[in-house]
Amino acid sequence: VDRAMSYYSVHGMFKDITAGISFYQFLEDLSANYAGRAEMAIGNLKQLLKMIFTKNKMLISITADEEGCRRFQEEFASSFLTGLPEKPDSKLFDAYEKVELIPICKNEGFKAAMQVQYVARTGNYMKAGFDYTGALQVLKTILSYDYLWTNIRVKGGAYGCMCGFSGVDGDAYFTSYRDPNLSETNQIYEKAVDYIKNFTVDERDMTKYIIGTFSSLDTPLTPQGKGRRSLAMYLAGITEEDLQRERDEVLNVTEEDIRVLHRLVSEVLKAGNICVIGNETKVEENKDLFKTVKSLIK
């Protein structure tokens, strides 16, 4: 999914470079040529330590009672902070060329020694002019546990499938995993637009979808979970009012609210971003879906 998002999103590119397929390829290349690059790699990591770990770049999140927070502030300030510089030396950056991340739609098919596929389609609905609404959370529930589940998991034999619609940046995705199919799954994604456009259920089933959505929104959290959510909300600029508005939209969603989302999903799929990791023969048989076909592992 992250690789497919890197085709159009700077954020997606960054995630891919630092934790995705691009990062794996970097490590693969470094490992194969380590003898000649070890000194350079170690030197770069030492430089990064000096550039990143400074007081002016630090953000701390702690979850504790008042006494725990007080003790943390006292001990952290007296031990860890004293060893950190206030900010990095500007000369450290002079040796590195500034790189601008420019997304390019690659639509890749990666061949690997496996018998199943991982099929992802992605796009961004905010770039297409749509706003986030809590109805998208209900749509996610409907698609994940009805349309996608029935067609990809039950009929298609995949181990799993899912979709998502980010309320922060507008990224959306459809994906399957351990999937014996490839083009068939892609067609199911495409036909989701018609399914949503003609969506009709009785009041009882609609209530079940709403309850199912709330089960993921209001899952009881441990203190660690609450701290993690609080930090994520802070970083994303999400307020408690935003969460309440989303809950109200979920609670009051109607069939028509779901049906109108077919235009949003249509725009996501119209972007045409696809990335697949799968069986060598299967990927080759469907190479017309991709701009590039290559081996995942050299």
Side-chain angles (χ1 to χ4, degrees):
V1 170
D2 286 342
R3 183 70 170 195
M5 288 182 177
S6 75
Y7 300 159
Y8 63 87
S9 163
V10 171
H11 177 244
M13 281 192 73
F14 182 80
K15 288 181 68 177
D16 180 62
I17 290 170
T18 56
I21 290 177
S22 289
F23 185 61
Y24 167 76
Q25 292 171 336
F26 162 75
L27 292 178
E28 186 181 44
D29 182 59
L30 179 61
S31 177
N33 301 280
Y34 188 72
R37 298 182 185 175
E39 187 174 338
M40 179 187 69
I42 293 171
N44 284 339
L45 289 173
K46 288 181 177 179
Q47 287 287 81
L48 282 173
L49 285 175
K50 296 177 182 178
M51 296 163 74
I52 295 173
F53 292 100
T54 59
K55 291 180 182 178
N56 72 328
K57 292 181 179 293
M58 180 175 291
L59 175 65
I60 300 170
S61 174
I62 177 173
T63 304
D65 57 19
E66 290 186 11
E67 175 62 17
C69 289
R70 184 189 63 78
R71 290 186 58 187
F72 175 82
Q73 287 180 308
E74 292 176 354
E75 297 179 17
F76 188 77
S78 63
S79 58
F80 187 79
L81 285 181
T82 54
L84 286 181
E86 190 64 37
K87 59 182 180 179
D89 185 344
S90 60
K91 294 180 181 179
L92 291 171
F93 297 89
D94 294 340
Y96 297 91
E97 181 180 351
K98 185 177 180 180
V99 176
E100 182 180 2
L101 299 180
I102 302 175
I104 299 174
C105 183
K106 298 178 180 179
N107 285 359
E108 298 156 298
F110 289 99
K111 299 183 292 184
M114 58 176 65
Q115 298 303 312
V116 292
Q117 282 63 244
Y118 298 79
V119 184
R121 289 286 300 273
T122 63
N124 189 290
Y125 64 86
M126 288 185 180
K127 290 182 179 179
F130 294 91
D131 295 323
Y132 177 76
T133 167
L136 284 167
Q137 289 291 345
V138 183
L139 177 62
K140 174 184 175 181
T141 301
I142 294 169
L143 292 176
S144 296
Y145 294 105
D146 185 2
Y147 177 75
L148 294 178
W149 178 266
T150 299
N151 289 285
I152 295 178
R153 173 70 176 91
V154 178
K155 295 180 181 179
Y159 188 80
C161 52
M162 64 185 73
C163 65
F165 305 90
S166 171
V168 176
D169 54 20
D171 282 333
Y173 68 87
F174 292 81
T175 188
S176 68
Y177 56 98
R178 297 190 63 81
D179 186 350
N181 301 306
L182 198 163
S183 62
E184 297 88 346
T185 295
N186 186 52
Q187 284 300 309
I188 290 168
Y189 296 156
E190 293 282 353
K191 293 177 181 177
V193 176
D194 287 334
Y195 170 82
I196 299 166
K197 185 177 182 180
N198 299 299
F199 177 75
T200 303
V201 291
D202 58 30
E203 184 178 351
R204 181 174 180 274
D205 284 338
M206 195 69 203
T207 301
K208 286 169 57 179
Y209 288 135
I210 292 172
I211 293 173
T213 302
F214 268 107
S215 69
S216 62
L217 293 178
D218 287 329
T219 303
L221 298 173
T222 62
Q224 181 187 35
K226 291 178 181 179
R228 186 183 298 113
R229 185 182 70 170
S230 177
L231 176 61
M233 288 175 60
Y234 172 78
L235 293 174
I238 298 173
T239 65
E240 289 293 340
E241 289 75 18
D242 293 328
L243 294 183
Q244 186 57 52
R245 181 170 58 254
E246 179 186 52
R247 283 166 170 75
D248 291 341
E249 290 169 348
V250 169
L251 185 62
N252 296 298
V253 74
T254 65
E255 288 180 65
E256 183 58 26
D257 292 331
I258 298 299
R259 284 194 287 266
V260 298
L261 293 175
H262 81 273
R263 291 190 287 270
L264 181 152
V265 174
S266 176
E267 289 299 318
V268 167
L269 294 170
K270 194 180 295 183
N273 301 302
I274 181 172
C275 182
V276 174
I277 299 175
N279 173 265
E280 295 181 357
T281 302
K282 202 78 168 179
V283 172
E284 282 290 347
E285 288 175 349
N286 294 276
K287 61 183 179 182
D288 290 345
L289 288 174
F290 312 109
K291 292 183 178 181
T292 306
V293 172
K294 62 182 76 173
S295 295
L296 179 64
I297 301 174
K298 292 182 180 179

